[in-house]
Amino acid sequence: MKRLLVRGVFLLAAALPSFAHAAFTPSPIPPYAHGVVVSASPLASDAGIEIMKAGGNAIDGAVATAFALAVVYPEAGALGGGGFAVVHREGVGDLAFDFREVAPTAAYTAMFLDSTGTPDPKLSLESCRAAAVPGGVDGLLRLWQQQGSGQISRRALLAPAIRLARDGFRLPVDVAQDLNEHRAAFARSEAATRIFVRADHAEWKAGDLLVQTDLANTLDRIAAEGRAGFYLGQTAELIRATMLRGGGLISLDDLDEYHAELRAPLRGSFRGREIVVMPPPSSGGILLLQMLAMLERFPLDRVARDRVEWPHLFTEVARRAYADRAVHLGDPAFAVVPEHGLLEPRYVEARAASISLTRATPSDSVAAGDAEHYESDQTTHLSVLDAAGNAVALTATLNDTFGSGIVVEGAGFLLNNEMDDFSAKPGTTNLYGLTGGQANRIEPKKRPLSSMTPTLVLRDGKVEMALGSPGGPRIITSVLQVLIDCLVREVPLGTAVATPRIHAQWQPDLLYYEEGALTDSTIARLGGMGHEVVPYANRWIGRVNGATREDGGLIGSPDPRGGNAARGF
Ligand code: DON
């Protein structure tokens, strides 16, 4: 019966021409012989290449790029936040670095509820309490120490970032625009206003110089003292002072006790490749592998991206995976996460079997949220490959654009508002319209569940591709679509990254599309199948920065959405 239906649907599809077009143009980038860095900023990509040219490997390059991003991409800079990196080190293997923030010891489950028991997003997003203990510095330094080449000193590693902070850098148009759009957030702290609002209160323009002296001094202390330059001494005291003034919960002990975790990555297979991803507390890895496995049960080769079958199947698969996310996923140190069960072939088969090829399955109407109303794009992903075969896919975030908007007075960096990634109250939604359950409730020292999905694709044990994206829940579906394009439809990565995308996540029960992703006739047919299809009103669905190793060399594929840039040598 199923096969007949499949055939019926695909025969119909073959009769429909495709009109969708690529709304973004990939820039052709030459292959490089020695190394390639793709990040959200040309200046940060340059920093990574500078370090690789000085003898560093892909890991050194990635860490230098991430520190530089903390200066030139304050929207998501890693000092006051955290992230994940999936790393391939030739001769060592695949590693997953978790430098996600943790809840302070004084955090408690009801900390964001008002007197009526309702979650207050102002508290979980815009206050000092929104900040979890930052993990970026510990994670990046561990990455460099454990998997770097050993050729790059800590001072050299941080030199480009310190230079960019102390001498200043010319604002690119995207950062100038973000700073102007978020002026209200900077009003939350004097230090943020001093640094991120122009002294004459005029709008920032592309080409304006942004100097960050306090940040340069913080980076200097990290260069001199390592993790102690951030988690102890002056920087720690400055964080504590900001917490005391603003009613935040991070203590000196919380800072001292923060440690990144080295985890075993999750692995799946798809189209003759190994897909290597983050385990929990990322939901991205499990969901990506689960969705790929469900999709494999359908004749994907015959599903063109812009025909009705693809957005339908995609939405059905995403709906099931994100419903699992809401209930089952959280920090594995606190919640029982059925990692293996969620990826077990019989489970995946059973989930996929409930997909009708002709009708949308309505998502439960529990606590539907408005994900796009609260758009923010400021997480950042970088991908680095080197000639020796090493690779890094690293995603870092403050959560919302410029995090909580609160700068640590005297230390010059923005604090995250990652506490909002917890479920403030089971069954209610967060910034991204994601529903959370008990597994992701707030507990002291717990890591909030994340959607970040840094991903490596290996073939015969060698890295073929590194990729990842910002975009909250849209990260996972963005990576999924690029992988399907590259591995099933054999589209070059640059083209796949530039192609307009769609997104669905169980709740709200909507299928979003970027302009050009779906034709009018496809949208009408999806409507007839029971899908509610809506244009994605905000800027972008994901921004995938990827890199591939091909016969001709190393190729960077920055997303044309925004100011991303590939550099190489
Ligand atoms: O870890 C997460 O899933 C979120 N804090 C990521 C936020 C993000 O990607 C912001 N950009 N839209």
Side-chain angles (χ1 to χ4, degrees):
M1 176 66 181
K2 194 164 149 195
R3 205 169 283 154
L4 275 179
L5 260 179
V6 170
R7 200 167 294 148
V9 167
F10 290 108
L11 279 177
L12 190 61
L16 287 171
S18 136
F19 294 109
H21 61 280
F24 306 98
T25 314
S27 37
I29 291 167
Y32 298 104
H34 305 289
V36 67
V37 178
V38 188
S39 82
S41 152
L43 293 167
S45 296
D46 283 339
I49 291 298
E50 177 182 327
I51 293 304
M52 289 168 81
K53 278 187 173 164
N57 63 10
I59 293 92
D60 298 317
V63 172
T65 304
F67 274 122
L69 282 167
V71 179
V72 298
Y73 200 68
E75 291 96 321
L79 283 204
F84 300 130
V86 180
V87 172
H88 178 83
R89 181 87 193 279
E90 273 299 299
V92 175
D94 303 310
L95 307 158
F97 280 82
D98 167 358
F99 46 99
R100 183 76 164 161
E101 303 90 327
V102 301
T105 307
Y108 52 97
T109 300
M111 66 185 274
F112 295 127
L113 303 184
D114 65 16
S115 55
T116 66
T118 310
D120 178 355
K122 270 188 117 43
L123 267 184
S124 64
L125 288 165
E126 301 176 11
S127 75
C128 272
R129 284 194 162 205
V133 184
V137 173
D138 190 64
L140 293 177
L141 290 177
R142 264 187 86 174
L143 201 50
W144 158 77
Q145 214 156 25
Q146 294 185 2
Q147 299 306 328
S149 62
Q151 303 298 308
I152 303 294
S153 69
R154 196 166 58 216
R155 167 82 37 209
L157 189 76
L158 281 139
I162 294 172
R163 201 172 59 224
L164 288 161
R166 200 171 296 290
D167 300 347
F169 71 99
R170 300 277 164 200
L171 288 174
V173 66
D174 59 323
V175 179
Q177 186 183 339
D178 284 341
L179 288 170
N180 292 333
E181 280 174 7
H182 289 81
R183 190 181 280 200
F186 302 136
R188 286 172 215 146
S189 83
E190 271 175 37
T193 304
R194 218 166 39 241
I195 298 164
F196 294 122
V197 177
R198 255 175 65 147
D200 61 2
H201 285 258
E203 297 247 299
W204 292 102
K205 293 188 305 300
D208 284 351
L209 190 70
L210 182 64
V211 175
Q212 298 172 82
T213 308
D214 286 345
L215 179 58
N217 293 337
T218 299
L219 289 164
D220 242 340
R221 288 192 291 277
I222 297 168
E225 301 163 42
R227 62 160 274 134
F230 186 88
Y231 293 95
L232 295 169
Q234 190 180 345
T235 315
E237 290 293 349
L238 290 169
I239 295 173
R240 185 169 75 147
T242 294
M243 289 294 134
L244 287 179
R245 258 196 312 275
L249 301 183
I250 300 173
S251 69
L252 288 178
D253 282 347
D254 286 333
L255 291 165
D256 188 18
E257 288 163 14
Y258 181 85
H259 284 288
E261 298 280 347
L262 182 59
R263 301 185 186 274
L266 292 175
R267 323 175 77 90
S269 59
F270 186 77
R271 300 284 160 138
R273 273 76 159 194
E274 268 191 291
I275 314 291
V276 183
V277 288
M278 278 306 298
S282 172
S283 64
I286 286 191
L287 261 66
L288 181 68
L289 296 184
Q290 203 193 52
M291 289 193 283
L292 285 171
M294 277 193 257
L295 286 169
E296 268 293 57
R297 283 160 170 75
F298 298 91
L300 284 183
D301 295 295
R302 287 183 281 156
V303 185
R305 191 191 244 270
D306 50 3
R307 299 210 193 280
V308 72
E309 291 75 19
W310 167 248
H312 171 68
L313 263 184
F314 164 90
T315 307
E316 293 306 307
V317 159
R319 184 191 319 283
R320 285 157 179 78
Y322 282 81
D324 275 348
R325 183 193 196 278
V327 175
H328 294 301
L329 297 187
D331 182 342
F334 289 79
V336 181
V337 179
E339 266 176 50
H340 299 290
L342 290 168
L343 296 173
E344 217 273 316
R346 277 173 307 153
Y347 177 75
V348 172
E349 174 71 46
R351 295 288 276 175
S354 66
I355 295 176
S356 154
L357 286 162
T358 51
R359 286 300 303 167
T361 325
S363 294
D364 272 340
S365 54
V366 182
D370 178 8
E372 78 166 13
H373 179 67
Y374 296 100
E375 165 68 353
S376 110
D377 258 309
Q378 268 58 26
T379 292
T380 191
H381 180 82
L382 62 100
S383 294
V384 185
L385 303 178
D386 69 21
N390 303 310
V392 179
L394 186 154
T395 315
T397 191
L398 296 172
N399 191 27
D400 202 359
T401 311
F402 302 106
S404 61
I406 297 167
V407 164
V408 174
E409 182 67 53
F413 60 87
L414 284 152
L415 286 165
N416 69 79
N417 53 5
E418 221 73 64
M419 291 295 286
D420 190 74
D421 272 350
F422 281 116
S423 168
K425 184 179 183 181
T428 59
T429 53
N430 73 357
L431 173 66
Y432 303 107
L434 288 166
T435 309
Q438 287 294 340
N440 191 33
R441 70 166 188 264
I442 304 172
E443 295 176 81
K445 298 278 188 185
K446 184 175 178 179
R447 285 161 151 85
L449 185 61
S450 172
S451 300
M452 291 185 285
T453 314
T455 300
L456 296 179
V457 177
L458 275 70
R459 189 172 211 171
D460 303 326
K462 302 281 177 207
V463 173
E464 194 176 68
M465 191 187 300
L467 75 166
S469 176
R474 298 172 296 275
I475 295 173
I476 314 171
T477 50
S478 296
V479 172
L480 175 75
Q481 287 168 81
V482 170
L483 286 181
I484 295 289
D485 267 354
C486 291
L487 304 184
V488 177
R489 302 173 187 135
E490 299 183 354
V491 169
L493 178 62
T495 310
V497 159
T499 304
R501 291 189 271 267
I502 54 180
H503 175 71
Q505 60 175 50
W506 179 53
Q507 297 287 9
D509 192 352
L510 297 171
L511 168 55
Y512 297 99
Y513 65 98
E514 279 181 327
E515 192 191 338
L518 302 173
T519 63
D520 288 347
S521 69
T522 299
I523 292 168
R525 288 189 61 203
L526 286 164
M529 294 167 85
H531 293 283
E532 193 171 338
V533 188
V534 292
Y536 191 65
N538 290 295
R539 266 191 244 169
W540 299 302
I541 295 181
R543 277 188 272 175
V544 176
N545 280 333
T548 44
R549 180 187 315 280
E550 297 177 13
D551 288 343
L554 309 172
I555 299 181
S557 297
D559 200 315
R561 298 162 181 82
N564 305 294
R567 292 287 192 268
F569 72 114

